[in-house]
Amino acid sequence: MLSPEDYDKDLTVGEVARRSGVAVSTIHFYEAQGLIRSWRNPGNQRRFSRDVLRRVAVIKVAQRLGISLASIADALNALPQDRSPSTADWRRMSERWREELDDRIAKLTRLRDNLDSCIGCGCLSIRDCPLRNPWDELGDGGAGPRLLDPA
């Protein structure tokens, strides 16, 4: 149980790891990626403010959803560094990530639905290919499986 004076106490990397449920090396990685910040105390020990716990929680949830670290960093960098992400902040981030998830779901659905047919890779070995990709016309659109990943 926290006492009132603990609310203003800065956290060590070990305390952040223990409280957030991730490894110390993960905390260091998040910091190296610019997702969280620390500072050094007079004894040159790394310290974190308590708001880092909510930031780590947001990172973990976003990663579990498959959101890229770059997208997570963009979202967190748009927030003030001196406070925890608020409910309104979370709403904005989740709306943005919802669009990314919808795009990913659409691509996965397309992949699943076309998994057993021509994917537009240019091999022209499946009977369907001459109908869906005659003379490798899709090759003009770029490399790779053009029907599965038209982007």
Side-chain angles (χ1 to χ4, degrees), residues 85-103:
S86 67
T87 303
D89 295 331
W90 173 250
R91 191 174 303 112
R92 281 189 299 277
M93 287 186 285
S94 64
E95 285 172 6
R96 176 178 171 184
W97 293 334
R98 184 181 311 273
E99 291 175 19
E100 288 182 38
L101 291 172
D102 288 343
D103 288 343

Side-chain angles (χ1 to χ4, degrees), residues 18 25 30 36 49 58 65 74 89 92 127 137 140-141:
R18 183 179 52 77
S25 60
Y30 289 164
I36 59 176
S49 61
V58 166
L65 293 171
D74 287 345
D89 295 331
R92 281 189 299 277
R127 233 178 126 176
E137 291 172 353
D140 294 338

Side-chain angles (χ1 to χ4, degrees), residues 4 7 10 25 27 29-30 42-43 60-61 67-68 70 76 81 87 91 100 106 114 116 119 132 144:
Y7 287 109
D10 298 328
S25 60
I27 299 300
F29 175 75
Y30 289 164
K60 286 175 56 176
V61 168
I67 304 299
S68 71
L76 290 175
Q81 289 293 324
T87 303
R91 191 174 303 112
E100 288 182 38
N114 292 299
D116 60 349
I119 58 174
R132 297 195 67 194

Side-chain angles (χ1 to χ4, degrees), residues 8-128:
D8 292 328
K9 181 181 163 224
D10 298 328
L11 302 171
T12 67
V13 67
E15 289 170 325
V16 172
R18 183 179 52 77
R19 295 285 310 277
S20 62
V22 301
V24 169
S25 60
T26 301
I27 299 300
H28 290 302
F29 175 75
Y30 289 164
E31 186 177 16
Q33 297 300 306
L35 299 170
I36 59 176
R37 287 187 188 176
S38 71
W39 64 91
R40 299 285 179 159
N41 69 7
N44 201 31
Q45 296 170 326
R46 184 178 272 121
R47 293 292 186 255
F48 296 86
S49 61
R50 284 197 166 287
D51 63 273
V52 78
L53 295 173
R54 189 170 303 164
R55 286 179 182 268
V56 171
V58 166
I59 295 165
K60 286 175 56 176
V61 168
Q63 284 185 301
R64 190 174 303 142
L65 293 171
I67 304 299
S68 71
L69 284 180
S71 184
I72 296 169
D74 287 345
L76 290 175
N77 288 336
L79 303 177
Q81 289 293 324
D82 59 344
R83 67 168 172 80
S84 295
S86 67
T87 303
D89 295 331
W90 173 250
R91 191 174 303 112
R92 281 189 299 277
M93 287 186 285
S94 64
E95 285 172 6
R96 176 178 171 184
W97 293 334
R98 184 181 311 273
E99 291 175 19
E100 288 182 38
L101 291 172
D102 288 343
D103 288 343
R104 187 173 307 126
I105 289 168
K107 285 181 181 179
L108 287 170
T109 300
R110 202 167 41 249
L111 173 63
R112 183 203 60 210
D113 293 348
N114 292 299
L115 202 52
D116 60 349
S117 64
C118 175
I119 58 174
C121 67
C123 75
L124 304 179
S125 63
I126 297 176
R127 233 178 126 176
D128 231 7

Side-chain angles (χ1 to χ4, degrees), residues 120-122 133-144 146:
C121 67
N133 186 25
W135 302 288
D136 193 25
E137 291 172 353
L138 293 171
D140 294 338
R146 304 311 309 155

